[in-house]
Amino acid sequence: QVQLVEAGGGLVQPGGTLTLSCVVTGIDFNSYTMSWFRQTAAKSREFVAYITSGGRIKYEDFVQDRFTISRENAKSTVYLRMESLNVEDTAVYYCNARKVREEYWGQGTQVTVSL
């Protein structure tokens, strides 16, 4: 059974920092591209960042050097460190594992940026 379990969400003040994690079981983590997406009630799910099995990284433009994606293959875990958070970053953040013809999602973790 494939499981992606996100953690690390919560309430943070504007300008604050959070680090999300996603632990993956049931697949060969090392061979998958790992991504983070986010979704609000008003928007469809949007791409945030990905890191390939080879370590290539891409961020969506709105990240603007505030977020850092990383992976720790020995722990089958992908991280998203988010700095300088603003209220527009409030969303449910989802972890995604993908390779050709296979894709899996986590259940999401809520990030709320508010005073």
Side-chain angles (χ1 to χ4, degrees):
Q1 182 182 1
V2 179
Q3 286 192 310
L4 286 71
V5 180
E6 300 100 333
L11 174 64
V12 63
Q13 292 186 350
T17 298
L18 277 179
T19 298
L20 308 181
S21 63
C22 173
V23 178
V24 181
T25 57
I27 56 174
D28 177 19
F29 177 83
N30 296 2
S31 66
Y32 282 74
T33 291
M34 298 302 303
S35 302
W36 288 95
F37 289 74
R38 69 185 189 183
Q39 187 170 16
T40 66
K43 290 184 179 181
S44 58
R45 195 169 295 188
E46 62 179 355
F47 168 75
V48 176
Y50 73 64
I51 181 168
T52 70
S53 58
R56 183 164 50 92
I57 289 172
K58 177 177 173 64
Y59 298 101
E60 186 56 88
D61 289 344
F62 63 75
V63 169
Q64 296 178 335
D65 297 325
R66 300 181 299 127
F67 296 179
T68 304
I69 189 170
S70 61
R71 63 190 297 161
E72 191 170 358
N73 290 340
K75 294 185 177 181
S76 297
T77 301
V78 61
Y79 303 95
L80 184 68
R81 178 175 172 82
M82 305 185 292
E83 302 177 10
S84 302
L85 285 162
N86 56 59
V87 294
E88 289 75 28
D89 296 314
T90 295
V92 178
Y93 284 72
Y94 295 90
C95 174
N96 171 278
R98 175 176 50 85
K99 68 177 184 180
V100 176
R101 290 188 291 276
E102 290 183 51
E103 187 173 41
Y104 305 98
W105 292 91
Q107 81 289 347
T109 186
Q110 176 70 48
V111 171
T112 302
V113 185
S114 179
L115 291 171

